[in-house]
Amino acid sequence: MPNLTLINLTPPNLPIGYCPTNYQQLANDIVSGTQATFNSSIGNSFFNFGPTTPALNNQVYPWLDENGEWWVFNGGYWSRKNPVVANGSDRRIFVGTTNDLLSYDGGDGTPYSGNIYAGAMWEVDTNFDAKFPVGVGTFAASGTVNVTGSSTSTSVSGEDKHKLTISETPFNEHTHGVAQRVLPNNDDYYMVAKNWSNLGSYSSLTIQGAAGTGGGGAGPTISNGDLSTTNAENSGNDSSSTLSHNNLPPFYGVYFIKRTARIYYTK
């Protein structure tokens, strides 16, 4: 074990035949002859203590302040190291303003500008701007995402708005029959439901007029032989009229912040 004794005391060698006149003289002679030696092997034995900034001639000694934090005088500052590594991989969530961030965690209210003793301790990590963090791993259908990745192994990168492609739309069908009254003018047309498309199987039907010289209202009785029919079928929307839809989940805006290259707290 190392010797942690702060001061070594060496008693005096009293001469042969020494005879003090009283006990007080004996005590005085022992104390005055004792030698004290500081144990330099355990480091500096002196330090400043308390809330007051140490005087100039005491800057060679470390300072233990009223909060139990140790400071040493370096580079013209009383300083101590930030335990979070400068320019490291730590990230934090911050909900203050960017101006607040300049003073966060010991920053001095100014941007970091290359001085390891001055400037902001943290800054915004712009890689996260308008992006959601996601755990590294493999999605069930979209491939693998790696650390710092912004797209998966299948090139999925996410989007705030999305326009459906034809293959992404569900099957849908909009069909109708068109009946033409052949007599007398060959120009009256009527929209009928799909299940009426085979109108020739009915001896007579009364249907609603849709266009042509017959106008609106109830159409005439149409007999077999007077009708021709057609069907119109569509799947999905025409690409010229489709719109992108919002694809965002509920969210709450925050800053993701990282350490600057500043190393030391100062005071």
Side-chain angles (χ1 to χ4, degrees):
M1 256 184 99
N3 179 11
L4 298 182
T5 303
L6 182 60
I7 300 175
N8 292 314
L9 298 177
T10 304
N13 290 318
L14 297 176
I16 297 174
Y18 169 78
C19 183
T21 58
N22 53 52
Y23 289 115
Q24 184 60 56
Q25 183 181 359
L26 174 62
N28 293 342
D29 291 341
I30 292 176
V31 170
S32 62
T34 299
Q35 292 183 337
T37 306
F38 287 101
N39 184 2
S40 59
S41 64
I42 64 171
N44 198 325
S45 302
F46 298 98
F47 61 90
N48 300 286
F49 176 75
T52 305
T53 303
L56 180 64
N57 60 346
N58 286 327
Q59 290 177 351
V60 294
Y61 307 119
W63 175 20
L64 179 63
D65 70 12
E66 72 279 13
N67 298 314
E69 295 171 339
W70 285 97
W71 304 82
V72 293
F73 196 79
N74 276 325
Y77 302 90
W78 284 102
S79 63
R80 64 184 180 88
K81 207 173 204 180
N82 190 318
V84 181
V85 176
N87 280 336
S89 58
D90 292 63
R91 296 295 182 271
R92 293 181 182 178
I93 290 176
F94 186 75
V95 295
T97 66
T98 52
N99 192 58
D100 295 334
L101 186 57
L102 296 175
S103 302
Y104 173 68
D105 189 29
D108 64 10
T110 64
Y112 175 74
S113 59
N115 185 345
I116 60 174
Y117 295 98
M121 282 287 190
W122 295 80
E123 63 187 355
V124 174
D125 187 344
T126 56
N127 288 322
F128 286 91
D129 285 359
K131 291 183 179 179
F132 295 94
V134 65
V136 170
T138 302
F139 292 103
S142 300
T144 299
V145 59
N146 297 315
V147 65
T148 71
S150 57
S151 63
T152 69
S153 56
T154 58
S155 300
V156 175
S157 58
E159 52 190 342
D160 63 340
K161 286 192 126 182
H162 181 71
K163 181 183 287 188
L164 293 177
T165 63
I166 293 298
S167 63
E168 291 172 334
T169 57
F171 174 78
N172 60 90
E173 184 179 50
H174 305 282
T175 62
H176 59 271
V178 179
Q180 178 185 7
R181 186 182 182 200
V182 177
L183 297 174
N185 299 319
N186 249 356
D187 63 355
D188 286 351
Y189 291 85
Y190 304 90
M191 300 296 293
V192 298
K194 181 184 178 184
N195 61 344
W196 288 7
S197 61
N198 189 15
L199 292 175
S201 64
Y202 295 88
S203 58
S204 65
L205 288 171
T206 300
I207 59 179
Q208 190 76 17
T213 59
T221 297
I222 300 177
S223 302
N224 283 349
D226 292 339
L227 305 174
S228 63
T229 61
T230 184
N231 288 328
E233 297 186 357
N234 294 301
S235 178
N237 291 326
D238 186 292
S239 61
S240 64
S241 62
T242 39
L243 298 175
S244 300
H245 63 270
N246 185 288
N247 206 35
L248 290 173
F251 58 84
Y252 185 82
V254 299
Y255 288 109
F256 289 89
I257 60 174
K258 62 182 180 178
R259 281 279 282 112
T260 65
R262 178 177 172 180
I263 298 175
Y264 297 102
Y265 296 114
T266 59
K267 76 174 190 174

